[in-house]
Amino acid sequence: MENVLEAKNVNVFYGDFQALKNINMKFKKNAVTALIGPSGCGKSTYLRLFNRMNDYIDSFNMQGDIMVENKNIYNKEIVVEELRKKIGMVFQKPNPFPKSIFENVAYGLKIQGVTNKAVLKNAVRKALQQAALWDEVKLDLDKSALALSGGQQQRLCIARTLAVEPSIILMDEPTSALDPIATAKVEELIRELKQKYTIIIVTHNMQQASRISDYTAFFYMGEMIEYNKTDTIFTNPQHERTQNYITGRFG
Amino acid sequence: MNNSQINRLKDKTFNYFGIFCTLIGLVILAFFIGSIFYDGLRRIDWDFLTSLPSRKAEKAGILTAWVGSIWIVIFTFIIVVPLGISAGIYLEEYAKKSRLSSLIEVNISNLAGVPSIIYGLLSLEIFVRLFGMGNSILAGSCTLALLVLPIVIVATREALKAVPHSIRAASYALGASKWQTVWEQVLPASFGGILTGVILAISRAVGETAPLIVIGALLYVPFTPSSPMDEFTVLPIQIFNWISRPQHEFTTNAAAAIILLLLITFIMNGVAVYFRNKWQKKINW
């Protein structure tokens, strides 16, 4: 399988603090890659590098290259708004806009200048169907998104991301605020989405990583300790740290 | 008496003291409003609202005053809203945190506390003389806009701050620019708070007297203004004028005008509270 994303010699600093230490990693296309590790190990920082969401942090400073389709996305000529249309993101807590369900999903297209009502309607339906939310909300698309349950809100956020038609989706602990049933739905969704999308997911939940991911990378104190097929990581880890973490001896 | 009895006594004592403190304000206000209504209510009729001022108290009306107040409110609104909201957006969303920006912040908070007569003197020099506006409605509106600008800026910033950061992140992550994020998401979500601030600022402007007297608003205007460059008077100045007359009948007129002024500010504050509640209900993060 081909690689769609690559980190080359990446170092990240917040002021004097080094959050990531010399990371080198390649991500496979149409696969789910899980980033695991204890809190503060740098996995969220790492994830947010790929759509440049760290740019908003004042003390953020980065060295190295992040290659998407063989282009360094930290180059000066990269337009970050364009990049984010290709690389979508789903956040830890569901964060729908305080608008209607329809407006939430259509927003990404509207800001690109799409005004045709029929086109928007179609795109909204398609995205909601892909996110397995259509049947639950098709009758009240004009209802406020804030009236949905937490799990529905998170699937709405996924639909909102899909509507822009990205090729890569970043997920930052997308189920940490959800109950087990809603979590199961989102996990099932992720498994389906990987046929069309490349997914990178940060998770605290090791069962989740083993259930849904094809590849897993273990982070510890800003270093990438081990990266392999998920099966291998969970059955036959090469490093003692990884072994200790996945068996729950620390973390 | 043992210890816990003493504590309960303290509790009770403070309870009654608190009721007393609360009532003082209310009773005085009620007494004030009561006496105003007693003096002025019977004076308010159609003629009073539609008559020009006069030397004879029973003939005098407040047409020019309330029309002047409305002109002033509208122009103050037009001037202060774009300036205040834009400045608030800039400081909250765009400005990088630096020494300069925190200096500006402190100064804006300080400006809100500058006595209004100082603004009047400043405006007299700048708007009336330097810019040659004369003692017109435009000069008056500029003065009041300057006076309430800090209120609008601070209210805008507070309202923007109340919008969770996750909303901005969601918008950016979909490929929105800063401007799109502010315009499409942050501003609509904070609209209730901003509007409340603007209305409170305007209702403060309605009641201002001192700065307008300084810039030369007239005590006696025998015509209603027809353009922003006309001379004008406003309700509080008319009240001030009538109160300072020796004849007792004018006091009745003043009381009637005060009722009207109170009514306007109460309505504006009521609208502000209504909008705040409405938007708070709609957006429950």
Side-chain angles (χ1 to χ4, degrees), chain B residues 116-281:
Chain B
S116 58
I117 194 149
I118 309 285
Y119 281 101
L121 290 168
L122 177 77
S123 302
L124 177 65
E125 205 51 52
I126 294 180
F127 298 127
V128 178
R129 292 189 183 146
L130 194 63
F131 291 176
M133 291 180 188
N135 46 357
S136 63
I137 288 177
L138 192 62
S141 300
C142 286
T143 310
L144 293 179
L146 207 61
L147 179 71
V148 299
L149 188 60
I151 304 177
V152 176
I153 294 177
V154 170
T156 301
R157 296 192 59 187
E158 290 304 320
L160 295 176
K161 246 183 232 167
V163 177
H165 188 75
S166 64
I167 293 298
R168 294 175 179 86
S171 177
Y172 289 140
L174 288 168
S177 65
K178 194 160 211 162
W179 170 248
Q180 286 172 321
T181 300
V182 168
W183 191 248
E184 303 279 343
Q185 300 297 346
V186 181
L187 263 188
S190 54
F191 185 65
I194 294 176
L195 196 66
T196 307
V198 167
I199 294 173
L200 291 179
I202 295 293
S203 69
R204 157 111 197 256
V206 173
E208 277 300 335
T209 323
L212 294 181
I213 291 181
V214 173
I215 67 156
L218 302 180
L219 296 179
Y220 176 78
V221 185
F223 55 87
T224 53
S226 55
S227 96
M229 297 316 291
D230 282 348
E231 297 175 328
F232 69 102
T233 189
V234 289
L235 275 172
I237 293 181
Q238 186 67 70
I239 294 167
F240 173 71
N241 175 14
W242 279 335
I243 290 284
S244 53
R245 300 274 184 106
Q247 300 94 324
H248 179 72
E249 293 74 37
F250 280 109
T251 328
T252 312
N253 286 0
I258 288 172
I259 294 174
L260 212 68
L261 185 60
L262 280 178
L263 203 68
I264 292 175
T265 35
F266 279 169
I267 287 173
M268 291 183 78
N269 283 318
V271 170
V273 170
Y274 171 77
F275 274 118
R276 190 166 55 211
N277 290 344
K278 193 180 155 195
W279 255 271
Q280 259 170 5
K281 230 174 262 167

Side-chain angles (χ1 to χ4, degrees), chain A residues 121-164:
Chain A
K121 260 188 182 167
N122 254 327
V124 168
R125 194 186 62 212
K126 203 176 131 201
L128 285 170
Q129 279 169 341
Q130 273 185 295
L133 190 60
W134 175 252
D135 289 332
E136 293 161 56
V137 300
K138 64 183 170 193
L139 294 177
D140 29 35
L141 291 177
D142 293 327
K143 219 169 76 174
S144 166
L146 298 175
L148 297 172
S149 74
Q152 288 174 321
Q153 285 187 3
Q154 193 61 305
R155 276 179 287 147
L156 179 70
C157 292
I158 294 174
R160 183 172 71 184
T161 307
L162 297 177
V164 188

Side-chain angles (χ1 to χ4, degrees), chain A residues 22-250:
Chain A
N22 198 33
I23 311 285
N24 284 285
M25 244 177 115
K26 288 174 182 172
F27 292 89
K28 298 268 187 253
K29 192 175 178 180
N30 291 6
V32 178
T33 305
L35 310 177
I36 62 170
S39 302
C41 69
K43 56 193 190 302
S44 281
T45 295
Y46 185 51
L47 186 78
R48 294 158 63 91
L49 283 180
F50 300 123
N51 66 344
R52 294 190 45 177
M53 288 299 277
N54 289 327
D55 292 14
Y56 301 106
I57 300 166
D58 282 341
S59 58
F60 168 74
N61 182 15
M62 176 203 158
Q63 298 157 0
D65 300 333
I66 302 279
M67 309 296 288
V68 176
E69 292 163 356
N70 297 317
K71 267 186 249 161
N72 183 5
I73 61 169
Y74 281 82
N75 260 353
K76 282 225 166 72
E77 61 261 30
I78 291 285
V79 179
V80 70
E81 285 83 13
E82 292 298 322
L83 170 76
R84 289 179 185 148
K85 287 169 197 165
K86 274 188 266 172
I87 305 182
M89 187 168 208
V90 177
F91 295 83
Q92 193 168 353
K93 249 181 79 186
N95 53 355
F97 301 124
K99 298 189 171 191
S100 73
I101 293 169
F102 184 90
E103 288 296 326
N104 262 277
V105 183
Y107 179 66
L109 293 172
K110 278 192 173 172
I111 55 174
Q112 292 181 32
V114 179
T115 50
N116 186 317
K117 282 233 171 87
V119 172
L120 286 175
K121 260 188 182 167
N122 254 327
V124 168
R125 194 186 62 212
K126 203 176 131 201
L128 285 170
Q129 279 169 341
Q130 273 185 295
L133 190 60
W134 175 252
D135 289 332
E136 293 161 56
V137 300
K138 64 183 170 193
L139 294 177
D140 29 35
L141 291 177
D142 293 327
K143 219 169 76 174
S144 166
L146 298 175
L148 297 172
S149 74
Q152 288 174 321
Q153 285 187 3
Q154 193 61 305
R155 276 179 287 147
L156 179 70
C157 292
I158 294 174
R160 183 172 71 184
T161 307
L162 297 177
V164 188
E165 302 194 325
S167 54
I168 301 169
I169 301 174
L170 310 172
M171 297 188 170
D172 191 356
E173 301 185 42
T175 62
S176 65
L178 305 184
D179 65 53
I181 293 168
T183 300
K185 278 189 182 161
V186 171
E187 287 185 9
E188 197 186 314
L189 180 59
I190 291 171
R191 270 194 294 268
E192 267 169 43
L193 289 176
K194 77 171 178 186
Q195 327 232 330
K196 284 183 69 185
Y197 304 90
T198 304
I199 295 172
I200 306 174
I201 179 170
V202 164
T203 177
H204 254 117
N205 180 333
M206 274 165 294
Q207 281 79 29
Q208 183 171 68
S210 69
R211 277 195 301 263
I212 61 171
S213 69
D214 305 298
Y215 297 88
T216 297
F218 172 61
F219 282 75
Y220 182 69
M221 305 269 284
E223 282 177 81
M224 202 264 287
I225 306 288
E226 195 169 348
Y227 176 36
N228 214 325
K229 287 199 161 149
T230 300
D231 289 347
T232 317
I233 289 269
F234 280 91
T235 55
N236 189 20
Q238 303 301 303
H239 288 77
E240 206 191 330
R241 276 246 160 73
T242 319
Q243 167 92 34
N244 288 343
Y245 183 70
I246 60 171
T247 52
R249 242 169 274 169
F250 86 101

